[in-house]
Amino acid sequence: LGFRDLEHFNVALLGKQLWRIITCPNSLLGRIYKIPYFRSSTPLDAPLGSRPSYAWRSLLAAQKLIRQGAKRIIGNGEATKVWEDRWIGSSPAIKPTSTRMVPLRYMQLVKPDMCVSELMTIPGNEWNKEAVEAIFTAETSEKILAINPQGRAGNDTYAWDYTHTGFYTVKSGYWVQRNFINTDQAATTVNQPSLDELYQQIWKLQTAQKSDISYGNASATLYQLQQICITDTSPKMAAAGDVAWPVRQ
């Protein structure tokens, strides 16, 4: 099938289900998960929760993947929350996190449940440029003004940045998982010293058979392990010795 990594392929498949929840919020699947898991947020920002089901825990494995490529497309702006939805920029789209020192005449606009439509002129197909530049930083304002609203007749939707059609596919999700998400995870992984050498020496120890194991035999085996750690002064051996000696005592 062309998929070389089954783990990434599995996440891409889960991404398809999560994509369906955010694009079809009124579907049976979306309604089932909304109340217990993201009643006051969105599926892309919902936490794991205190007692998550196995299915929800699995879906959240694809959350970072969908965040990378999902973007809110502005129609009339009435269904998009300024501070909650990811609607600015692309790959990944972001939500604004800061503002300027807002002038008094625009203070009434800046509220937690502010919708994107409130940043538009009355017809709903143009931005209120003065308001946008007064509220947001120069960089964010530039990105907002580059968006073309569809007007009052258009509805806010989601689009996937990594396909020409804007629809999520398992193939594109797999590609994003391998080339972006997996790369980020590898960069943040702490490199641990290899313990292969220690394992090899442990397997060479002359120990009692399983049926002959006693306290004395076990203590002798731990003593041999400690001697290996003493002769090898590397950090990984020292750590193993610190574990073996208290157990032997």
Side-chain angles (χ1 to χ4, degrees):
L1 297 176
F3 297 103
R4 300 181 179 180
D5 191 311
L6 289 179
E7 183 178 355
H8 293 166
F9 179 53
N10 184 52
V11 173
L13 285 172
L14 291 168
K16 190 170 185 178
Q17 299 304 317
L18 189 58
W19 179 257
R20 177 171 174 76
I21 291 175
I22 68 172
T23 55
C24 304
N26 294 323
S27 64
L28 178 60
L29 186 64
R31 286 181 291 168
I32 288 174
Y33 286 114
K34 182 177 178 62
I35 294 178
Y37 298 118
F38 51 91
R39 182 182 300 181
S40 58
S41 62
T42 69
L44 298 183
D45 298 297
L48 183 61
S50 57
R51 298 182 62 185
S53 66
Y54 177 79
W56 177 247
R57 186 187 297 273
S58 299
L59 285 174
L60 281 200
Q63 192 179 59
K64 191 173 183 180
L65 166 63
I66 300 301
R67 278 182 193 159
Q68 175 68 30
K71 179 181 180 180
R72 194 74 162 155
I73 301 299
I74 303 302
N76 52 30
E78 294 178 358
T80 302
K81 301 293 185 181
V82 171
W83 313 109
E84 297 178 12
D85 293 314
R86 300 169 187 274
W87 59 284
I88 301 174
S90 60
S91 304
I94 61 172
K95 49 189 175 182
T97 57
S98 60
T99 65
R100 293 179 182 272
M101 293 293 292
V102 183
L104 289 176
R105 64 180 180 278
Y106 293 117
M107 285 295 293
Q108 60 180 357
L109 283 178
V110 183
K111 51 186 183 292
D113 60 346
M114 180 181 182
C115 292
V116 173
S117 58
E118 298 178 59
L119 296 172
M120 299 179 187
T121 56
I122 298 300
N125 56 1
E126 293 182 357
W127 295 105
N128 184 338
K129 184 177 180 181
E130 184 179 354
V132 170
E133 293 179 341
I135 296 173
F136 301 99
T137 62
E139 181 181 1
T140 302
S141 297
E142 183 179 354
K143 292 180 179 178
I144 293 175
L145 296 175
I147 300 172
N148 295 317
Q150 299 174 13
R152 288 192 173 183
N155 295 320
D156 298 341
T157 58
Y158 275 100
W160 180 250
D161 275 339
Y162 295 97
T163 57
H164 295 296
T165 61
F167 295 104
Y168 177 87
T169 64
V170 175
K171 182 178 180 180
S172 66
Y174 177 80
W175 184 84
V176 172
Q177 182 69 20
R178 285 196 55 139
N179 292 277
F180 291 95
I181 310 302
N182 187 56
T183 302
D184 292 342
Q185 291 174 348
T188 57
T189 300
V190 178
N191 291 325
Q192 298 292 337
S194 174
L195 295 176
D196 290 345
E197 182 182 351
L198 176 60
Y199 293 154
Q200 291 174 10
Q201 294 192 52
I202 290 175
W203 281 111
K204 293 178 182 179
L205 293 177
Q206 298 298 320
T207 62
Q209 296 296 324
K210 181 177 180 180
S211 59
D212 297 331
I213 289 178
S214 64
Y215 175 79
N217 291 333
S219 179
T221 300
L222 289 172
Y223 177 76
Q224 293 180 58
L225 175 58
Q226 186 193 15
Q227 292 306 306
I228 293 174
C229 298
I230 291 174
T231 56
D232 189 331
T233 58
S234 63
K236 59 175 179 281
M237 293 299 185
D242 290 341
V243 173
W245 180 251
V247 173
R248 181 170 181 262
Q249 293 299 312

